[in-house]
């Protein structure tokens, strides 16, 4: 692993600290964080960035899309593959807020859940 220096803006709280991340081999040093949330955020972002996927899904026979999201972050490298899997899934109505519409999205262990109700 090459040595590198990176700047990140922490998104774990409203403060938005500018983090300086220094990576030497496997050792990662983080400075610039105001709270303790910045260090694990920076280390995760450098080694294996992940995001919660918020997306629209079209239920069978619906005239409008349904808002859904993953229940946990998925690897950033898999976001396009995960989006394709969501787009190709068409649940039957009715759907209620919190319903699990996809289990284990693309092998990530994440569930896709409805963020709104939709009736037939």
């Amino acid at each position: 692993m090459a040595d590198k220096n990176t700047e990140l803006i922490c998104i774990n709280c409203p403060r938005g600290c500018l983090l300086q991340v220094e990576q030497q081999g496997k050792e990662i040093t983080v400075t610039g964080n105001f709270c303790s949330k910045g260090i694990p955020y920076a280390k995760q972002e450098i080694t294996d960035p992940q995001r919660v996927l918020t997306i629209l899904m079209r239920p069978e026979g619906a005239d409008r899309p349904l808002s859904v999201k993953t229940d946990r972050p998925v690897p950033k490298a898999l976001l396009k593959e995960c989006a394709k899997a969501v787009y190709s899934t068409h649940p039957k109505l009715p759907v209620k807020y919190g319903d699990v519409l996809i289990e284990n999205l693309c092998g990530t262990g994440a569930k896709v859940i409805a963020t709104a109700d939709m009736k037939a």
Side-chain angles (χ1 to χ4, degrees):
M1 192 178 296
D3 295 349
K4 65 181 180 178
N5 295 322
T6 306
E7 285 188 342
L8 299 171
I9 295 176
C10 184
I11 60 171
N12 278 319
C13 76
R15 189 175 185 96
C17 296
L18 179 61
L19 306 175
Q20 290 77 38
V21 184
E22 185 177 328
Q23 187 174 12
Q24 294 181 335
K26 291 186 178 184
E27 188 173 324
I28 299 172
T29 305
V30 180
T31 57
N33 56 302
F34 184 75
C35 71
S36 61
K37 295 177 183 179
I39 294 172
Y41 167 76
K43 288 181 178 182
Q44 177 73 44
E45 191 65 16
I46 292 297
T47 59
D48 181 26
Q50 299 193 8
R51 301 287 185 273
V52 170
L53 177 61
T54 304
I55 193 166
L56 296 174
M57 174 184 268
R58 188 159 306 271
E60 253 182 53
D63 59 349
R64 63 184 175 86
L66 172 68
S67 173
V68 298
K69 70 175 198 143
T70 56
D71 67 339
R72 66 185 73 169
V74 296
K76 191 175 175 183
L78 293 177
L79 284 177
K80 286 183 181 180
E81 181 182 336
C82 290
K84 286 179 184 179
V86 172
Y87 289 146
S88 66
T89 303
H90 306 284
K92 294 184 185 214
L93 295 177
V95 174
K96 293 186 179 186
Y97 172 86
D99 282 355
V100 176
L101 303 174
I102 300 175
E103 295 272 354
N104 193 21
L105 179 64
C106 297
T108 63
K111 297 175 183 174
V112 174
I113 58 172
T115 62
D117 295 336
M118 185 178 276
K119 296 179 182 178

